Amino acid sequence: MVSLGSFTRSAARATSSAYRSVPIRWRLAGGSAALTFVILCGFAGIVGVLTTRQVTGEFDNEVRTQADDLAQRLHLHWNGLTLNCDQQALSDYSSDNHAQIRIYLDDGTIECTQNQVATTDAQTGLHFSFPSRSEELGYRVETRAIGVNPVGEAILMYARPLSSVDHTLGKVRFFLFLGVLGGSILALAAGLAIARRAMRPIVELSDVAREIERTRDPRRQLPRPDAEDEIAVLARTLSGMLQALDAARGETEAMLDRQREFVADASHELRTPLTSVLANLDLLADELDGEQAVTAHAALRSTRRMRRLVADLLLLARADAHRAAPHRPTDLAEVLVEAAAELEPVSGDHELSVNAEPVVVDGARDELHRLVLNLIENGVRHTPPGTRVRASTGIRDGQAVLTVEDDGPGIPPELELRVFERFVRFGRDGGRGSGLGLAIVRAVAESHGGTVRIERPAGHGGTRFVISLPVAATADTPAGVG
């Protein structure tokens, strides 16, 4: 069973959460309306009490005065059998205000009423007690002793209905209720208007902040409120923060640019000594024999791998530094055929098929060759022997499209979003890859104004890479190797 304390805490947390989800302007307006409601309720309560006392007191005074006047006006006479009442006076005092008048003898017998002599309470439907209380049966009652000629006295009971007072007090309460309700609604409306006006600078700051978030441009100026208040201080603080962030970002970008320039220059400078080392090792491997030849060939293989890695790093560094190689019209089909021919001797038991339709793009032929080579090599390296790797070129929706597809096990779903990141490996190449192949594919595609995406072929497993590039504006003769 849930304890009362747990239920209370849960309800409190739910209420607090609901309150926090309400906009601030509604909180301010609601608080203003609630405070106004409390004040008006207190004011209405005081006015109601004072009005009730005033109206009730005036009514009681009026009833006493009329009872005194009637007692002085009546001249009763006893003829031995009945009491001779002044019926005209009784009618005058009862007709205007619906009063009930009774004249009792000492034994409690009713001798006269406002209508006729000797009418009983049973006949009128009223049952006043004798002696009467001050309030009875919804009437305000006054009693007076009056003389009877020739001797003796009788009791005059004068009663007026309280309904007139209740009607008046009901109107007062109704108007007080309308005043409280109307005042609270007006306070809510006024609070909303004031809160909306007060929150307008914050709304403007929020809009500009969202725009800065969308554009990621901290140089955008924040609006400055005219008033010198807390919101103006907040705006100045945020402006200072954005300026500091812009300066920090500028310093970071400058540092990264210098780093990219350094990597690009270093990679470029490494190519010359590596080429020299590679040539010397090639000659040395041919001259040596035995274990020395084996060692030389191992060093030659490592140096070739290092040259390939340096070339990859140079290409990525140039892309990061926005050093674009010269672009010229290039037939993507020729690039595909050359790359496939280069990889065919090392494709092993893989079945490599090419469907090259001529399509001309503006690009750097060496970089496009590297892109196609990496895609086909990726398919050969990460699929088991006997797997087919298919590559094709064509035009689709006005774009030059290069497609490389294999029948292998495919890329795990958790790696699909990371395969184009640098130094990400599949784990099925035995650690032979550098993890830069697909990163180079994306860098080359983007530097040529294109895109790369991964698709899952329908009906079978495997992976399909689709490269989309803009078609060349002029269909000139494709360039050769530049």
Side-chain angles (χ1 to χ4, degrees):
M1 295 180 63
V2 179
S3 65
L4 179 59
S6 300
F7 176 78
T8 303
R9 288 191 294 270
S10 300
R13 285 193 297 268
T15 303
S16 177
S17 176
Y19 178 77
R20 287 194 296 268
S21 64
V22 176
I24 294 180
R25 62 178 181 272
W26 280 100
R27 296 189 207 173
L28 294 176
S32 174
L35 180 60
T36 303
F37 177 78
V38 172
I39 294 175
L40 289 178
C41 283
F43 177 75
I46 295 173
V47 171
V49 171
L50 295 177
T51 303
T52 300
R53 291 181 180 178
Q54 182 68 23
V55 172
T56 304
E58 291 181 355
F59 180 75
D60 292 342
N61 292 335
E62 185 178 352
V63 172
R64 283 193 295 268
T65 301
Q66 290 179 348
D68 292 339
D69 293 343
L70 179 58
Q72 293 177 3
R73 180 174 174 180
L74 288 176
H75 299 284
L76 303 180
H77 180 75
W78 178 260
N79 58 13
L81 296 176
T82 60
L83 187 64
N84 183 14
C85 301
D86 190 350
Q87 198 66 42
Q88 183 63 40
L90 298 181
S91 298
D92 292 341
Y93 275 82
S94 63
S95 59
D96 295 336
N97 46 34
H98 307 288
Q100 294 290 328
I101 302 175
R102 303 286 187 272
I103 298 179
Y104 296 91
L105 296 180
D106 291 340
D107 59 0
T109 304
I110 299 176
E111 290 295 327
C112 300
T113 67
Q114 75 278 9
N115 295 319
Q116 59 184 352
V117 179
T119 300
T120 63
D121 280 352
Q123 292 173 307
T124 60
L126 296 174
H127 302 277
F128 289 103
S129 61
F130 182 81
S132 299
R133 297 182 295 272
S134 60
E135 289 187 9
E136 187 174 358
L137 300 178
Y139 284 80
R140 177 69 173 87
V141 181
E142 289 287 337
T143 57
R144 298 291 186 271
I146 55 176
V148 178
N149 293 325
V151 291
E153 64 178 16
I155 303 299
L156 168 66
M157 187 200 74
Y158 180 80
R160 279 185 57 180
L162 296 172
S163 57
S164 58
V165 178
D166 295 338
H167 182 67
T168 302
L169 294 178
K171 286 184 177 180
V172 172
R173 295 189 184 98
F174 176 72
F175 285 117
L176 288 176
F177 172 75
L178 287 182
V180 172
L181 182 61
S184 300
I185 294 175
L186 289 177
L188 178 62
L192 278 175
I194 295 174
R196 185 179 294 110
R197 183 173 181 180
M199 296 297 295
R200 187 178 304 159
I202 296 181
V203 173
E204 294 175 354
L205 288 175
S206 301
D207 293 339
V208 176
R210 279 192 291 269
E211 185 65 18
I212 293 174
E213 180 186 9
R214 185 184 66 83
T215 60
R216 297 187 176 183
D217 183 12
R219 292 170 295 180
R220 188 182 181 95
Q221 292 295 324
L222 294 175
R224 299 291 183 88
D226 297 331
E228 289 296 328
D229 53 10
E230 291 81 358
I231 299 178
V233 174
L234 175 63
R236 288 194 296 269
T237 304
L238 291 177
S239 296
M241 181 189 69
L242 290 176
Q243 292 174 2
L245 289 176
D246 184 44
R249 189 179 72 168
E251 294 174 359
T252 303
E253 289 181 351
M255 181 181 65
L256 290 176
D257 289 339
R258 290 192 297 269
Q259 183 179 356
R260 295 187 188 104
E261 294 286 343
F262 170 77
V263 173
D265 294 339
S267 300
H268 180 72
E269 293 297 328
L270 283 173
R271 296 179 68 182
T272 300
L274 279 176
T275 302
S276 176
V277 171
L278 187 63
N280 292 329
L281 285 175
D282 197 7
L283 291 174
L284 186 62
D286 292 338
E287 296 292 334
L288 299 176
D289 53 9
E291 293 183 358
Q292 293 180 340
V294 173
T295 303
H297 283 289
L300 183 62
R301 287 192 299 271
S302 298
T303 305
R304 287 172 179 170
R305 182 179 179 186
M306 184 181 297
R307 185 181 65 173
R308 175 71 178 272
L309 179 60
V310 169
D312 291 343
L313 290 174
L314 177 61
L315 192 151
L316 291 174
R318 285 177 174 176
D320 292 340
H322 304 290
R323 293 184 182 181
H327 287 194
R328 61 187 65 182
T330 304
D331 189 354
L332 197 59
E334 292 183 1
V335 175
L336 173 60
V337 171
E338 291 176 1
E342 181 178 341
L343 286 175
E344 186 174 7
V346 296
S347 61
D349 295 332
H350 291 82
E351 178 183 348
L352 183 60
S353 62
V354 174
N355 181 18
E357 297 181 7
V359 53
V360 180
V361 298
D362 281 327
R365 189 182 186 92
D366 288 342
E367 293 183 359
L368 292 175
H369 180 83
R370 181 74 59 80
L371 179 148
V372 177
L373 195 69
N374 285 357
L375 284 177
I376 298 177
E377 186 179 14
N378 182 79
V380 172
R381 177 179 296 173
H382 297 291
T383 55
T387 304
R388 292 195 305 168
V389 178
R390 298 176 294 278
S392 64
T393 57
I395 296 179
R396 184 188 308 166
D397 298 330
Q399 293 279 316
V401 178
L402 167 68
T403 304
V404 177
E405 179 180 346
D406 62 65
D407 296 334
I411 300 175
E414 62 272 12
L415 289 179
E416 284 189 1
L417 298 178
R418 300 182 59 242
V419 292
F420 295 107
E421 297 178 5
R422 300 174 187 183
F423 302 106
V424 174
R425 301 181 181 183
F426 290 93
R428 290 195 294 266
D429 59 357
R432 291 175 292 136
S434 63
L436 296 177
L438 293 180
I440 291 175
V441 169
R442 183 174 66 176
V444 173
E446 291 179 351
S447 67
H448 286 72
T451 60
V452 55
R453 67 179 185 273
I454 300 176
E455 297 179 353
R456 290 184 177 274
H460 59 83
T463 304
R464 178 189 298 140
F465 290 91
V466 180
I467 310 294
S468 298
L469 300 174
V471 177
T474 58
D476 298 333
T477 302
V481 177

